[in-house]
Amino acid sequence: MTPTQPVTLTSVLTCPVCQHAQAEQMPTDACQWFYECTSCHTLLKPLAGDCCVYCSYGSVPCPPIQEQGKGACGCC
């Protein structure tokens, strides 16, 4: 049995419009489908095939994906 990596709960979201990067705490109990960029106020939504904005625009995927892999959230 391989030891599991600790789950990272902070991800840096990078806006695809203005390239502003912002560190955010990820929820552990739900997917976050929307995020408003704090710089240009663009409303970010997950890309096709991703479960949340962290999987699409974050430096680290969401906790369920980190732990169990793609499809672990049950919403993609």
Side-chain angles (χ1 to χ4, degrees):
M1 180 178 273
T2 318
T4 59
Q5 296 280 14
V7 174
T8 302
L9 297 178
T10 301
S11 185
V12 177
L13 289 168
T14 302
C15 177
V17 175
C18 72
Q19 303 305 311
H20 177 74
Q22 178 76 36
E24 296 288 350
Q25 187 78 19
M26 293 184 282
T28 58
D29 59 348
C31 291
Q32 185 167 336
W33 290 351
F34 302 105
Y35 176 81
E36 184 178 343
C37 175
T38 57
S39 179
C40 71
H41 303 286
T42 296
L43 185 62
L44 305 182
K45 300 174 200 168
L47 299 172
D50 286 341
C51 63
C52 65
V53 293
Y54 294 104
C55 289
S56 294
Y57 307 105
S59 60
V60 179
C62 69
I65 299 298
Q66 289 181 57
E67 291 176 329
Q68 300 168 19
K70 189 110 174 130
C73 293
C75 54
C76 52

